[in-house]
Amino acid sequence: MTERTRELPMTADQDRFTAETERFRRELLAHCYRMAGSAQDAEDLVQETYLRAWRSYAGFEGRASIRSWLYKIATNVCLTAAQPRRIRVLPSGLSEHYDGPDRPPSHVGPGEVSWLEPLPDRWVADDPAATAVARESLRLALVASLQHLPARQRAIVILRDVLAFSAAETAEVLGTTTAAVKSGLQRARARLDEREPEREQLLEPADPRARALLEGYIAAFERSDPALLEQVLRTDATLEATPFREWYAGRVRCIHVLGTYVLGRPGDWRMSSTTANGQPAAAVYHRDDSGGYHPHGIVVLAPTSTGISRVVEFHDPALVVLFGPPPGSPDEAFE
């Protein structure tokens, strides 16, 4: 139960409500994340979902399953929250890759863009089998593409193609007609195909090849060694990082940017492996002038059988806190 649920007055139905609804919390969190593109927003949306569900629980008559009822509430909470907000994007959602004169990446000003956030895998499943089922629908590229759909189309394609709701069930959730759902789904699929016509087959994070690519990427940073990056990046690899406007395509350009503006000296960086969006990832720490290491952000990799095809770095210390300290290390990681 969340803190907000605990604050509610206890009644005879409280235990039954918890028993019937809590088992869906993780999948509802994944649903809200797909809708909102932010792990922190998803947490708030799920809390609001459970608050509304509790308030209307006495009137739940069981004509639909408890799961469908919760998804109806959660989807409508997400749609209401989406109305005044800008969509969350990655740099690749703003423009074509940068191919101009050599210069440092430029920051996007505060408040100019709402950035997509990664999702810690541990938030959505503690069962590896369940994680595998949800993993494909949480890939970073897909979630980024979903954000470019109108909110109701986003909801339709998630309910139909990810959660396998029927057209009739989806219409019930959204308070619309089956015909409108079918039409919206067709438009949504077409727009997704335009943004990502061929979805890559990524290696699972537990695959030894994926682990080796992550370890190689971490070693390249910790040793400040561009040659190691050449061993793990594909020739057509892309590199993007928030909150920077430019993003880069091609291994040569990516390595040049990282080597010139990022890697620094051996020991400047420390990384701890994790997983995000069903992909290998690392929590990133940077050394300051006094020699101490401080949270810097999260990097998410797209591993394929021929190397890393995409690197997305989220330069936000708060995300390191969100993902939690490295397993087996003290809270003051690397100090």
Side-chain angles (χ1 to χ4, degrees), residues 3-335:
E3 291 300 322
R4 289 178 67 178
T5 304
R6 291 191 187 100
E7 292 170 2
L8 295 169
M10 293 298 292
T11 73
D13 286 338
Q14 185 87 44
D15 288 344
R16 185 159 61 93
F17 173 79
T18 300
E20 290 186 347
T21 64
E22 278 299 308
R23 66 185 185 273
F24 300 111
R25 183 175 292 274
R26 288 178 183 268
E27 63 175 275
L28 288 170
L29 181 62
H31 177 57
C32 291
Y33 172 73
R34 296 183 194 101
M35 286 291 297
S38 162
Q40 297 175 88
D41 286 356
E43 262 200 320
D44 293 340
L45 292 166
V46 168
Q47 288 195 13
E48 179 63 23
T49 295
Y50 274 81
L51 184 61
R52 292 191 189 184
W54 168 245
R55 286 173 175 167
S56 59
Y57 183 61
F60 175 63
E61 299 176 349
R63 286 178 293 192
S65 69
I66 194 81
R67 179 175 181 264
S68 296
W69 179 68
L70 288 170
Y71 268 103
K72 181 174 184 176
I73 296 171
T75 300
N76 284 285
V77 165
C78 291
L79 291 174
T80 299
Q83 289 173 6
R85 297 181 184 178
R86 288 180 295 188
I87 65 169
R88 290 182 174 271
V89 297
L90 291 172
S92 55
L94 297 176
S95 63
E96 294 295 320
H97 65 85
Y98 182 73
D99 197 26
D102 186 22
R103 58 178 173 78
S106 56
H107 277 87
V108 175
E112 287 186 35
V113 173
S114 293
W115 296 111
L116 190 74
E117 293 176 358
L119 178 71
D121 277 2
R122 64 181 178 82
W123 280 27
V124 294
D126 50 12
D127 176 2
T131 302
V133 171
R135 185 170 286 138
E136 189 69 28
S137 66
L138 289 169
R139 301 292 195 197
L140 202 57
L142 175 58
V143 175
S145 295
L146 286 171
Q147 304 314 301
H148 290 271
L149 297 175
R152 287 183 68 84
Q153 282 188 23
R154 193 183 319 151
I156 288 171
V157 78
I158 292 170
L159 291 167
R160 292 285 285 117
D161 287 352
V162 174
L163 298 168
F165 277 44
S166 69
E169 289 170 327
T170 302
E172 168 63 22
V173 167
L174 296 174
T176 187
T177 65
T178 301
V181 166
K182 292 179 178 178
S183 175
L185 180 62
Q186 186 176 24
R187 292 194 299 272
R189 286 171 174 169
R191 292 189 67 168
L192 288 176
D193 286 344
E194 288 174 4
R195 297 199 62 82
E196 195 182 4
E198 293 183 12
R199 294 178 189 169
E200 284 193 310
Q201 287 294 113
L202 301 187
L203 300 174
E204 295 294 322
D207 189 301
R209 295 168 295 175
R211 292 201 301 268
L213 290 170
L214 175 62
E215 290 167 3
Y217 187 87
I218 290 174
F221 265 74
E222 294 187 342
R223 300 176 194 175
S224 185
D225 188 347
L228 288 176
L229 287 174
E230 189 169 359
Q231 295 177 23
V232 297
L233 295 181
R234 277 189 354 192
T235 56
D236 62 347
T238 62
L239 169 70
E240 55 189 313
T242 66
F244 298 98
R245 186 175 304 279
E246 295 84 7
W247 63 285
Y248 307 92
R251 181 171 60 197
V252 172
R253 191 66 182 262
C254 293
I255 292 175
H256 173 75
V257 170
L258 291 172
T260 305
Y261 303 110
V262 181
L263 288 182
R265 299 164 300 172
D268 278 353
W269 299 96
R270 290 288 183 268
M271 295 187 184
S272 174
S273 61
T274 184
T275 55
N277 297 82
Q279 299 170 224
V284 184
Y285 299 80
H286 189 252
R287 182 170 62 184
D288 63 18
D289 293 338
S290 67
Y293 288 93
H294 301 278
H296 183 79
I298 299 292
V299 59
V300 182
L301 308 180
T304 73
S305 59
T306 55
I308 297 169
S309 65
R310 188 180 192 187
V311 177
V312 184
E313 299 183 60
F314 300 88
H315 292 176
D316 182 353
L319 290 174
V320 179
V321 177
L322 196 73
F323 272 70
S329 73
D331 289 341
E332 296 296 324
F334 307 118
E335 290 285 3

